[in-house]
């Protein structure tokens, strides 16, 4: 893209606001990684989750699952709103189960919305982490307030400004 990262981000952001679902997914990743814009984990995840949930975009669900998994591997558990590791014991187990359920839900949605990578990873994930007995409902997927974006995030068809 002529103009570098910032121009690429602006084009992606504009295309998202104009209704291009794939551009919304790309914009979420760019926010998260800080490509062409100020890095903002909350804003990036919010865009991915909104694109997954509201626009039924399988790739966005899969990318959100990858981000959540990577964050958990680095001690950030957004499913419980914890930025630091919980102590060993019941709190840690609850946090790990909440993260697993969030990942399971994202992968299931990604697969249901026809993303092959999500389907492949879901099969592997469910082998490694069988669903706990008695868990039947799909939890809603949203970010805890401690991870809320610092400013507004793009919405398909909306006219908003970014930093």
């Amino acid at each position: 893209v002529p103009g570098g990262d910032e121009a690429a981000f602006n084009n992606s952001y504009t295309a998202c606001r104009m209704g291009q679902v794939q551009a919304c997914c790309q914009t979420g990743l760019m926010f998260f990684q800080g490509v062409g814009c100020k890095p903002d984990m909350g804003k990036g995840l919010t865009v991915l989750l909104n694109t997954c949930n509201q626009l039924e975009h399988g790739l966005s669900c899969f990318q959100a699952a990858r981000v959540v998994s990577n964050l958990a591997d680095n001690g950030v558990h957004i499913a419980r709103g914890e930025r630091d590791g919980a102590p060993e014991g019941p709190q840690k187990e609850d946090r790990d189960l909440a993260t697993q359920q969030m990942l399971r839900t994202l992968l299931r949605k990604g697969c249901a919305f026809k993303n092959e990578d999500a389907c492949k990873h879901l099969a592997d994930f469910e082998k490694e982490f069988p669903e706990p007995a008695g868990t039947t409902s799909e939890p809603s997927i949203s970010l805890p307030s401690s991870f809320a974006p610092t400013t507004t995030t793009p919405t398909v068809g909306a006219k908003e400004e970014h930093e």
Side-chain angles (χ1 to χ4, degrees):
V1 173
D5 289 347
E6 188 173 350
F9 173 80
N10 288 332
N11 289 338
S12 180
Y13 187 90
T14 299
C16 176
R17 289 191 345 242
M18 294 174 65
Q20 297 297 319
V21 178
Q22 182 65 33
C24 291
C25 180
Q26 186 63 39
T27 299
L29 292 171
M30 293 174 98
F31 268 128
F32 186 79
Q33 298 169 345
V35 176
C37 61
K38 179 181 171 187
D40 191 322
M41 178 181 71
K43 197 180 290 187
L45 274 173
T46 297
V47 172
L48 288 173
L49 292 173
N50 287 344
T51 306
C52 169
N53 291 322
Q54 296 169 7
L55 303 175
E56 300 183 350
H57 187 243
L59 180 59
S60 293
C61 300
F62 176 66
Q63 292 294 355
R66 290 183 64 205
V67 168
V68 169
S69 178
N70 189 7
L71 289 172
D73 288 347
N74 288 292
V76 179
H77 298 273
I78 68 164
R80 293 287 299 260
E82 297 175 4
R83 290 181 186 263
D84 299 316
E88 295 297 320
Q91 283 184 322
K92 181 182 183 322
E93 291 171 17
D94 287 349
R95 181 201 63 213
D96 292 347
L97 287 174
T99 300
Q100 287 174 16
Q101 191 58 29
M102 184 178 209
L103 289 169
R104 180 177 286 107
T105 300
L106 285 166
L107 291 172
R108 283 181 178 167
K109 284 185 175 199
C111 188
F113 302 148
K114 311 285 190 250
N115 180 270
E116 290 182 25
D117 287 331
C119 294
K120 290 174 190 172
H121 282 80
L122 176 62
D124 293 341
F125 182 84
E126 290 190 334
K127 286 177 190 170
E128 186 173 349
F129 302 103
E131 191 161 17
T135 307
T136 57
S137 62
E138 294 287 315
S140 63
I141 298 182
S142 60
L143 292 176
S145 60
S146 61
F147 286 87
T150 55
T151 58
T152 59
T153 55
T155 303
V156 174
K159 293 184 178 182
E160 299 178 11
E161 294 299 318
H162 63 86
E163 291 182 4

